[in-house]
Coordinates of all heavy atoms in Angstrom, one line a residue:
G6 N 116.5 89.9 57.7 CA 117.9 90.1 58.2 C 118.6 88.7 58.2 O 118.4 87.8 57.5
C7 N 119.6 88.7 59.1 CA 120.3 87.5 59.3 C 119.5 86.3 59.8 O 118.7 86.5 60.7 CB 121.4 87.8 60.3 SG 122.4 86.3 60.8
P8 N 119.5 85.2 59.1 CA 118.7 84.0 59.5 C 118.9 83.6 61.0 O 118.0 83.1 61.6 CB 119.2 82.9 58.6 CG 119.7 83.6 57.4 CD 120.3 84.9 57.9
G9 N 120.1 83.8 61.5 CA 120.4 83.5 62.9 C 119.7 84.3 63.9 O 119.6 83.9 65.1
S10 N 119.3 85.5 63.5 CA 118.6 86.4 64.5 C 117.1 86.4 64.3 O 116.4 87.2 64.9 CB 119.1 87.8 64.4 OG 118.9 88.3 63.1
Q11 N 116.6 85.5 63.5 CA 115.1 85.4 63.3 C 114.4 84.9 64.6 O 114.8 84.0 65.2 CB 114.8 84.4 62.1 CG 113.3 84.3 61.8 CD 113.0 83.4 60.6 OE1 114.0 82.9 60.0 NE2 111.8 83.3 60.3
M12 N 113.4 85.7 64.9 CA 112.7 85.3 66.2 C 111.9 84.0 66.0 O 111.3 83.8 65.0 CB 111.7 86.5 66.5 CG 111.0 86.3 67.8 SD 109.9 87.7 68.2 CE 108.7 87.5 66.9
R13 N 112.0 83.2 67.0 CA 111.2 82.0 67.1 C 111.0 81.6 68.5 O 111.7 82.0 69.4 CB 112.0 80.8 66.3 CG 113.3 80.5 66.9 CD 114.1 79.6 66.0 NE 114.7 80.3 64.9 CZ 115.4 79.7 63.9 NH1 115.6 78.4 63.9 NH2 116.0 80.4 63.0
Q14 N 110.1 80.7 68.7 CA 109.7 80.3 70.1 C 109.6 78.8 70.1 O 109.1 78.1 69.3 CB 108.4 80.9 70.5 CG 108.0 80.7 72.0 CD 106.8 81.5 72.4 OE1 106.2 82.2 71.5 NE2 106.4 81.4 73.6
M15 N 110.2 78.2 71.2 CA 110.2 76.8 71.4 C 109.3 76.4 72.6 O 109.2 77.1 73.5 CB 111.7 76.3 71.7 CG 112.6 76.2 70.5 SD 113.2 77.8 70.0 CE 114.4 78.2 71.3
Q16 N 108.7 75.2 72.4 CA 107.8 74.7 73.4 C 108.4 73.4 74.0 O 108.8 72.5 73.3 CB 106.4 74.4 72.8 CG 105.7 75.6 72.3 CD 105.3 76.6 73.4 OE1 105.1 76.2 74.5 NE2 105.1 77.9 73.0
H17 N 108.6 73.4 75.3 CA 109.1 72.2 76.0 C 108.1 71.6 77.0 O 107.3 72.4 77.5 CB 110.4 72.5 76.7 CG 111.5 73.1 75.9 ND1 112.3 72.3 75.1 CD2 112.0 74.3 75.7 CE1 113.1 73.0 74.4 NE2 113.0 74.3 74.8
K18 N 108.2 70.3 77.2 CA 107.3 69.7 78.2 C 107.7 70.2 79.6 O 108.9 70.1 79.9 CB 107.4 68.2 78.1 CG 106.9 67.6 76.8 CD 106.9 66.1 76.8 CE 106.4 65.5 75.5 NZ 106.5 64.0 75.5
P19 N 106.7 70.6 80.4 CA 107.0 71.0 81.7 C 107.5 69.9 82.6 O 107.1 68.7 82.4 CB 105.7 71.6 82.2 CG 104.7 70.9 81.4 CD 105.3 70.7 80.1
E20 N 108.4 70.1 83.5 CA 108.8 69.1 84.5 C 107.7 68.7 85.4 O 106.9 69.5 85.8 CB 110.0 69.6 85.3 CG 111.3 69.9 84.4 CD 111.9 68.7 83.8 OE1 111.7 67.6 84.3 OE2 112.5 68.9 82.7
P21 N 107.6 67.4 85.8 CA 106.5 67.0 86.7 C 106.6 67.8 88.0 O 107.6 68.0 88.6 CB 106.9 65.5 86.9 CG 107.7 65.1 85.7 CD 108.5 66.3 85.4
A22 N 105.4 68.2 88.4 CA 105.3 69.0 89.6 C 105.7 68.2 90.8 O 105.4 67.0 90.9 CB 103.9 69.6 89.8
G23 N 106.3 68.8 91.8 CA 106.6 68.2 93.0 C 107.9 67.4 93.0 O 108.4 66.9 94.0
E24 N 108.6 67.2 91.9 CA 109.8 66.5 91.8 C 111.0 67.5 91.9 O 111.1 68.5 91.1 CB 109.9 65.7 90.5 CG 108.9 64.6 90.4 CD 109.2 63.6 89.2 OE1 110.3 63.8 88.6 OE2 108.4 62.8 88.9
D25 N 111.9 67.2 92.8 CA 113.1 68.1 93.0 C 114.1 67.8 91.9 O 114.4 66.6 91.7 CB 113.7 67.9 94.4 CG 112.8 68.5 95.5 OD1 112.0 69.4 95.2 OD2 112.8 67.9 96.6
M26 N 114.6 68.8 91.3 CA 115.6 68.6 90.3 C 117.0 68.5 91.0 O 117.2 69.1 91.9 CB 115.6 69.7 89.3 CG 114.4 69.9 88.5 SD 114.0 68.5 87.4 CE 115.4 68.6 86.3
P27 N 117.8 67.6 90.5 CA 119.2 67.5 91.1 C 120.0 68.7 91.0 O 119.9 69.5 89.9 CB 119.8 66.3 90.4 CG 119.1 66.3 89.0 CD 117.7 66.7 89.3
V28 N 120.8 69.1 92.0 CA 121.6 70.3 91.9 C 122.9 69.9 91.1 O 123.6 69.0 91.5 CB 122.0 70.7 93.4 CG1 122.9 71.9 93.3 CG2 120.7 71.1 94.1
L29 N 123.1 70.6 90.1 CA 124.2 70.4 89.2 C 125.4 71.3 89.6 O 125.1 72.5 89.9 CB 123.9 70.6 87.8 CG 122.8 69.6 87.2 CD1 122.5 69.9 85.8 CD2 123.2 68.2 87.4
R30 N 126.6 70.8 89.6 CA 127.8 71.6 89.9 C 128.4 72.1 88.6 O 128.4 71.4 87.6 CB 128.8 70.8 90.7 CG 128.2 70.4 92.1 CD 129.3 69.7 92.8 NE 128.8 69.2 94.1 CZ 128.8 70.0 95.2 NH1 129.3 71.2 95.1 NH2 128.4 69.5 96.4
S31 N 128.9 73.3 88.7 CA 129.7 73.9 87.5 C 130.9 73.1 87.2 O 131.6 72.6 88.2 CB 130.0 75.3 87.8 OG 130.9 75.8 86.8
Q32 N 131.2 72.9 86.0 CA 132.4 72.1 85.5 C 133.4 73.1 85.0 O 134.5 72.6 84.5 CB 132.0 71.1 84.5 CG 131.0 70.0 85.0 CD 131.6 69.2 86.1 OE1 132.8 68.8 86.0 NE2 130.8 68.9 87.1
L33 N 133.2 74.4 85.1 CA 134.1 75.4 84.6 C 135.4 75.3 85.4 O 135.3 75.4 86.7 CB 133.5 76.7 84.6 CG 134.3 77.9 83.9 CD1 134.4 77.6 82.4 CD2 133.7 79.2 84.2
S34 N 136.6 75.2 84.8 CA 137.8 75.0 85.5 C 138.8 76.2 85.4 O 139.9 76.1 85.9 CB 138.5 73.8 85.1 OG 138.8 73.8 83.7
Q35 N 138.4 77.3 84.7 CA 139.3 78.4 84.6 C 138.5 79.7 84.4 O 137.3 79.7 84.0 CB 140.3 78.2 83.5 CG 140.1 78.9 82.2 CD 138.9 78.3 81.3 OE1 138.5 77.2 81.5 NE2 138.5 79.1 80.3
W36 N 139.2 80.8 84.5 CA 138.6 82.1 84.3 C 139.7 83.0 83.8 O 140.8 82.9 84.2 CB 138.0 82.7 85.5 CG 137.2 84.0 85.3 CD1 137.6 85.3 85.4 CD2 135.8 84.1 84.8 NE1 136.6 86.1 85.1 CE2 135.5 85.4 84.7 CE3 134.9 83.1 84.4 CZ2 134.3 85.9 84.3 CZ3 133.7 83.6 84.0 CH2 133.4 84.9 83.9
P37 N 139.5 84.0 82.8 CA 138.2 84.2 82.1 C 137.9 83.2 81.0 O 138.8 82.3 80.8 CB 138.5 85.6 81.5 CG 140.0 85.6 81.3 CD 140.6 84.9 82.4
V38 N 136.8 83.3 80.4 CA 136.4 82.4 79.3 C 136.3 83.0 78.0 O 136.3 82.3 77.0 CB 135.1 81.6 79.7 CG1 135.4 80.7 80.9 CG2 134.0 82.6 79.9
Q39 N 136.1 84.3 78.0 CA 135.9 85.0 76.7 C 137.2 85.0 75.9 O 138.3 85.2 76.4 CB 135.5 86.5 76.9 CG 134.0 86.6 77.4 CD 133.0 86.3 76.3 OE1 133.3 86.4 75.1 NE2 131.8 86.0 76.7
I40 N 137.1 84.6 74.6 CA 138.3 84.5 73.8 C 139.1 85.8 73.8 O 140.3 85.8 73.8 CB 137.9 84.2 72.3 CG1 137.2 82.8 72.3 CG2 139.1 84.2 71.4 CD1 136.7 82.4 70.9
K41 N 138.4 87.0 73.8 CA 139.1 88.2 73.7 C 139.9 88.5 75.0 O 140.8 89.3 75.0 CB 138.2 89.4 73.4 CG 137.6 89.3 72.0 CD 137.0 90.7 71.6 CE 135.9 91.2 72.5 NZ 135.4 92.5 72.0
L42 N 139.5 87.9 76.1 CA 140.0 88.2 77.4 C 141.1 87.2 77.9 O 141.9 87.6 78.7 CB 138.9 88.3 78.5 CG 137.8 89.4 78.2 CD1 136.8 89.3 79.3 CD2 138.4 90.8 78.1
V43 N 141.0 86.0 77.5 CA 141.9 85.0 78.0 C 143.3 85.2 77.6 O 143.6 85.6 76.5 CB 141.4 83.6 77.5 CG1 141.6 83.4 76.0 CG2 142.1 82.5 78.3
P44 N 144.3 85.1 78.6 CA 145.7 85.3 78.2 C 146.2 84.1 77.3 O 145.8 83.0 77.5 CB 146.4 85.3 79.6 CG 145.5 84.6 80.5 CD 144.1 84.9 80.0
V45 N 147.1 84.4 76.4 CA 147.6 83.4 75.5 C 148.4 82.3 76.2 O 148.3 81.2 75.8 CB 148.4 84.1 74.4 CG1 149.1 83.1 73.5 CG2 147.6 85.0 73.5
N46 N 149.2 82.7 77.1 CA 150.1 81.7 77.8 C 149.7 81.4 79.2 O 150.5 81.2 80.1 CB 151.5 82.3 77.8 CG 152.1 82.5 76.4 OD1 152.3 83.6 76.0 ND2 152.2 81.4 75.6
A47 N 148.4 81.2 79.4 CA 147.9 80.8 80.7 C 148.4 79.4 81.1 O 148.4 78.6 80.2 CB 146.4 80.9 80.7
P48 N 148.7 79.2 82.3 CA 149.2 77.9 82.7 C 148.2 76.7 82.5 O 148.7 75.6 82.3 CB 149.6 78.0 84.2 CG 148.8 79.2 84.6 CD 148.7 80.1 83.5
Y49 N 146.9 77.0 82.6 CA 146.0 76.0 82.4 C 145.9 75.4 81.0 O 145.2 74.5 80.7 CB 144.6 76.4 82.9 CG 144.1 77.8 82.4 CD1 143.8 78.0 81.1 CD2 144.0 78.8 83.4 CE1 143.3 79.3 80.7 CE2 143.6 80.0 83.0 CZ 143.2 80.3 81.7 OH 142.8 81.5 81.3
F50 N 146.6 76.1 80.0 CA 146.6 75.6 78.6 C 147.5 74.4 78.5 O 147.5 73.7 77.5 CB 147.0 76.7 77.6 CG 145.9 77.6 77.3 CD1 146.1 79.0 77.4 CD2 144.6 77.2 77.0 CE1 145.1 79.9 77.1 CE2 143.6 78.1 76.7 CZ 143.9 79.4 76.8

């Protein structure tokens, strides 16, 4: 089928145990985000 939908699996190195990961904040500044849903003349443009 489509090469883009070919099943594959990735292996990543596990994070060291006991280390707290920093809490990241979302950088999203507007809603909606889907191209089909966003209004053409939104003020944030």
Side-chain angles (χ1 to χ4, degrees):
C7 173
S10 61
Q11 182 177 359
M12 185 177 65
R13 64 189 78 180
Q14 188 172 0
M15 284 76 73
Q16 299 291 335
H17 299 285
K18 292 182 179 179
E20 298 294 334
E24 292 190 12
D25 293 332
M26 299 296 294
V28 177
L29 301 178
R30 296 183 181 275
S31 171
Q32 297 298 315
L33 191 65
S34 60
Q35 104 286 343
W36 188 264
V38 295
Q39 287 289 338
I40 298 175
K41 293 201 299 183
L42 301 179
V43 68
V45 171
N46 298 114
Y49 45 71
F50 283 132

